[in-house]
Amino acid sequence: MKKILALLLIAIGLGTAGAWAQCSSRNTAFKSGETLIYDLYFNWKFVWIKAGTASMNITRTTYNGRPAYKTYLITRGSQRADKIFKMRDTLLAYTGMDLTPQYYMKGALEGKTYRKEEVWYSYPSGDCHVKMRYRRDNQPARNNEFTSAYCAYDMISMLLRARSFDPSGFKVGHRIKFLMADGKRCEWQSIVYRGKKKFRVENSTTTYRCLVFSFMETENGKESEVVKFYITDDENHLPVRLDLNLNFGVAKAYLTGASGLRNPQKAKLK
């Protein structure tokens, strides 16, 4: 599902320090072995149908000879949903143990089109340098590079960093801008804090105390809400619900399983 992880962003503050210092961050939210499972639903002709499942897993490994976190996010459409729109997405990211982005890849089969995005990070002289590659079907790959004094993030590395942030000082309407690399370009995007809300998971008695955010995207000078997401108001900051406005319709994702968590689920009320 297009930009399924951008939906999970919470917040980021960009200061004036060197990019290496910006990219490193403490981790209080997760540990190696965490696995999250989601059910995906799509609105088709005013009827909600189960469109598939998504799973995210974090494990400790090595990258370029150094300790790192390896994070997978995989989405798979159901047989019923495949008749409407075929979806097979795989996202992979490596980050340092201090959450510094190292590598990102997204392979997405959506409909009849396959796209592959890759991002490589390096930090020369305190700056953040990204190399990007984008390929669609069998067309020639497009390469791009970007250097900034600010840190850039992909969907997954931003999620991992943002989960440890403390939004207690945010007021409704608070806006945060950040640089996102997606394999084609590196651009400033925004998220907006919407406040707190209790949320009951569909087809269950489980209720969560949540913080609500919107991921906003600007294209051709016009801003629109891509995703509204609900994260638990506790130290785990688990994304438990996502409302997605996609190119081909409206979709929702609900957390149905969580294992290997680092902290108690204090925001889970039932």
Side-chain angles (χ1 to χ4, degrees), residues 255-268:
L255 182 73
T256 58
S259 60
L261 300 181
R262 177 170 179 167
N263 305 298
Q265 295 192 67
K266 295 182 179 180
K268 189 174 183 179

Side-chain angles (χ1 to χ4, degrees), residues 21-22 28 46 78 176-177 183 185 207 226 232 255 266 268:
Q22 291 175 26
T28 60
F46 305 104
S78 65
I176 308 97
K177 291 187 176 182
R185 60 185 70 89
T207 300
V226 179
T232 56
L255 182 73
K266 295 182 179 180
K268 189 174 183 179

Side-chain angles (χ1 to χ4, degrees), residues 203-231:
N203 302 317
S204 79
T205 60
T206 301
T207 300
Y208 291 98
R209 187 178 65 253
C210 295
L211 305 166
V212 184
F213 294 85
S214 293
F215 172 58
M216 310 299 292
E217 185 176 65
T218 301
E219 290 187 1
N220 300 321
K222 184 179 180 180
E223 185 179 66
S224 60
E225 182 184 65
V226 179
V227 181
K228 181 176 288 183
F229 51 97
Y230 298 67
I231 61 142

Side-chain angles (χ1 to χ4, degrees), residues 13-232:
L14 294 172
T16 57
W20 184 265
Q22 291 175 26
C23 290
S24 62
S25 177
R26 66 173 186 159
N27 168 30
T28 60
F30 65 87
K31 64 181 181 180
S32 176
E34 180 186 273
T35 299
L36 306 178
I37 306 296
Y38 294 86
D39 280 345
L40 308 177
Y41 293 86
F42 176 66
N43 189 278
W44 177 250
K45 295 183 179 181
F46 305 104
V47 177
W48 286 97
I49 64 172
K50 186 174 179 180
T53 60
S55 62
M56 187 173 75
N57 176 257
I58 304 172
T59 56
R60 180 168 177 166
T61 184
T62 59
Y63 181 79
N64 286 340
R66 296 182 178 181
Y69 285 115
K70 179 181 181 180
T71 305
Y72 266 114
L73 177 71
I74 299 173
T75 65
R76 294 292 182 265
S78 65
Q79 291 183 352
R80 183 181 181 185
D82 280 352
K83 296 177 182 179
I84 304 171
F85 189 86
K86 196 167 186 177
M87 178 181 64
R88 301 286 186 273
D89 289 4
T90 299
L91 288 78
L92 165 68
Y94 288 92
T95 58
M97 299 302 292
D98 61 356
L99 306 188
T100 303
Q102 301 294 328
Y103 172 76
Y104 166 78
M105 185 279 295
K106 177 183 176 181
L109 176 62
E110 296 170 344
K112 297 181 179 180
T113 301
Y114 180 79
R115 298 177 177 88
K116 185 175 182 180
E117 304 168 0
E118 290 182 280
V119 181
W120 294 265
Y121 298 87
S122 62
Y123 303 90
S125 303
D127 288 333
C128 178
H129 181 74
V130 293
K131 290 184 177 181
M132 295 172 283
R133 178 183 296 161
Y134 171 81
R135 185 168 185 172
R136 175 173 175 168
D137 296 326
N138 294 321
Q139 298 176 8
R142 294 159 49 188
N143 297 287
N144 198 3
E145 297 188 26
F146 181 87
T147 300
S148 175
Y150 296 101
C151 187
Y153 298 87
D154 52 78
M155 300 181 198
I156 293 195
S157 62
M158 168 55 74
L159 166 65
L160 298 183
R161 177 186 172 108
R163 284 181 60 184
S164 293
F165 284 6
D166 179 10
S168 59
F170 289 178
K171 296 181 179 180
V172 174
H174 182 74
R175 178 180 294 264
I176 308 97
K177 291 187 176 182
F178 59 94
L179 278 173
M180 174 172 282
D182 65 2
K184 292 185 289 185
R185 60 185 70 89
C186 195
E187 295 182 327
W188 292 96
Q189 304 293 358
S190 298
I191 53 175
V192 178
Y193 176 56
R194 301 300 187 189
K196 296 185 178 183
K197 185 175 182 179
K198 290 182 181 179
F199 159 66
R200 184 171 66 85
V201 179
E202 294 292 323
N203 302 317
S204 79
T205 60
T206 301
T207 300
Y208 291 98
R209 187 178 65 253
C210 295
L211 305 166
V212 184
F213 294 85
S214 293
F215 172 58
M216 310 299 292
E217 185 176 65
T218 301
E219 290 187 1
N220 300 321
K222 184 179 180 180
E223 185 179 66
S224 60
E225 182 184 65
V226 179
V227 181
K228 181 176 288 183
F229 51 97
Y230 298 67
I231 61 142
T232 56

Side-chain angles (χ1 to χ4, degrees), residues 229-268:
F229 51 97
Y230 298 67
I231 61 142
T232 56
D233 188 12
D234 58 19
E235 291 183 324
N236 291 307
H237 285 166
L238 296 175
V240 294
R241 170 181 168 180
L242 306 102
D243 299 345
L244 304 97
N245 298 309
L246 305 173
N247 292 337
F248 54 89
V250 179
K252 294 182 183 290
Y254 299 104
L255 182 73
T256 58
S259 60
L261 300 181
R262 177 170 179 167
N263 305 298
Q265 295 192 67
K266 295 182 179 180
K268 189 174 183 179

